[in-house]
Amino acid sequence: TTALTLDAVDLQWAIILRIFMLIWYSPVEHVTVRNLTFRGPLDELTEYAFLPLLSSVEQLISLESSMKALTLEHVRNKVYYFNQEILYRQFSEMNIANLTINDAYMPHMLCPNRTSSFQYLNFSHNALTDELFQNCGTLMDLKLLILQKNKFESLRKVSVMTSRMKSLKYLDMSNNLLRHDGADVKCQWAESLTELDLSSNQLADAVFECLPVNIKKLSLQNNQISNIPRGMAELESLEELNLASNRLADLPGCSGFTSLQFLNI
């Protein structure tokens, strides 16, 4: 089989890692684990006890494997008082194309140490913040990034996060806490970015000062936009714009969007 799905996995960290090592050597290409719980006991899960095993895993995941995609959904961690960054490093260094970690209360993820093979990352429904992937230059092949339902607050920092992702095409930042106050701050989006979802945030009119110049599809649904300020945005490539569920009092002026084909208000 090339696909493996596990459900209701409730085991100690060390056992889970050993299972993962076995899968890595197998012909399986797509692995999905749902309702995953990591457990102790704590006295057996010190960093000292973990290091030999983690060292083996780290060497393993840097090698080529049949695995192309790993999906972890609904993850609960019942192990405390150890350095979680050791485990984040195992994920960030994986030599696979697609990685999903969904609903895991994950507060952080590390930038890969070397040029990564990731093309698709989905870290939705976690606790990630504006510090994610800042000054990270190793996600050169990343094309799709999904970060909905996290705790991002600064649209400018999100733009800076993407600035070195040279292949990024699609970014989903919906259902966060994003704001942009303008104040002459410069946004630095990836030039390759063509589709952006900013729906269900806290963005107002100033958002039009901070948008990717080559964007084609843009969703600003369910924000606090009352107007598109004239002369603020020249998005000549924009084809689709969703402004539904905002505070628009009149039809928006779209003279700066010369390629616009679809407008939802």
Side-chain angles (χ1 to χ4, degrees):
T1 181
T2 59
L4 174 65
T5 299
L6 304 175
D7 198 354
V9 177
D10 189 338
L11 294 168
Q12 295 181 17
W13 265 115
I15 296 174
I16 291 172
L17 288 175
R18 288 190 175 96
I19 292 173
F20 176 77
M21 292 174 70
L22 291 173
I23 296 172
W24 191 267
Y25 281 117
S26 76
V28 174
E29 296 180 357
H30 302 272
V31 178
T32 300
V33 185
R34 299 190 180 97
N35 301 302
L36 173 63
T37 301
F38 299 105
R39 291 193 177 274
L42 295 178
D43 57 350
E44 295 180 11
L45 288 167
T46 62
E47 288 184 25
Y48 177 78
F50 255 131
L51 286 177
L53 178 58
L54 287 174
S55 178
S56 299
V57 173
E58 188 165 354
Q59 293 176 18
L60 181 68
I61 61 179
S62 65
L63 302 175
E64 289 191 8
S65 162
S66 297
M67 190 183 297
K68 297 177 180 178
L70 173 64
T71 299
L72 304 179
E73 297 180 344
H74 315 305
V75 181
R76 297 296 176 263
N77 183 9
K78 298 297 179 68
V79 183
Y80 306 100
Y81 311 117
F82 70 97
N83 186 353
Q84 295 188 27
E85 289 200 0
I86 293 177
L87 296 168
Y88 296 150
R89 179 59 64 194
Q90 312 311 311
F91 291 120
S92 69
E93 301 304 320
M94 283 186 169
N95 188 14
I96 59 176
N98 300 349
L99 175 63
T100 296
I101 304 177
N102 175 45
D103 185 22
Y105 295 104
M106 182 171 65
H108 190 53
M109 176 54 69
L110 300 178
C111 176
N113 279 329
R114 51 185 172 270
T115 301
S116 174
S117 57
F118 289 136
Q119 296 183 30
Y120 171 95
L121 290 177
N122 183 345
F123 296 150
S124 57
H125 201 178
N126 281 291
L128 298 168
T129 69
D130 296 335
E131 302 310 311
L132 180 72
F133 295 149
Q134 294 293 316
N135 301 311
C136 182
T138 53
L139 293 169
M140 303 289 287
D141 295 330
L142 187 63
K143 297 177 181 178
L144 291 91
L145 178 57
I146 300 175
L147 297 172
Q148 62 173 278
K149 294 185 179 179
N150 277 281
K151 296 183 178 180
F152 292 90
E153 298 181 3
S154 169
L155 186 61
R156 184 192 67 82
K157 282 195 172 183
V158 170
S159 77
V160 173
M161 174 190 71
T162 72
S163 62
R164 300 172 71 179
M165 299 175 179
K166 303 302 183 183
S167 302
L168 189 65
K169 299 289 187 184
Y170 176 86
L171 175 63
D172 184 350
M173 297 299 305
S174 60
N175 290 280
N176 276 280
L177 305 168
L178 289 174
R179 295 174 177 267
H180 183 68
D181 58 7
D184 297 324
V185 294
K186 185 177 180 181
C187 294
Q188 304 175 43
W189 295 98
E191 293 185 3
S192 57
L193 187 60
T194 58
E195 189 167 352
L196 177 61
D197 190 341
L198 295 174
S199 58
S200 299
N201 279 284
Q202 300 174 14
L203 297 164
D205 300 0
V207 65
F208 290 96
E209 296 179 357
C210 181
L211 292 173
V213 65
N214 296 318
I215 198 72
K216 292 183 178 180
K217 296 182 180 180
L218 173 63
S219 179
L220 289 166
Q221 181 176 354
N222 192 27
N223 277 281
Q224 300 173 19
I225 298 168
S226 60
N227 183 38
I228 299 179
R230 293 185 181 278
M232 185 177 288
E234 296 290 337
L235 303 177
E236 296 180 355
S237 299
L238 187 64
E239 298 174 356
E240 297 185 17
L241 175 60
N242 188 346
L243 289 171
S245 302
N246 274 281
R247 299 178 177 179
L248 295 172
D250 202 351
L251 290 175
C254 298
S255 59
F257 312 145
T258 55
S259 299
L260 193 64
Q261 300 175 19
F262 177 84
L263 174 63
N264 184 5
I265 55 174

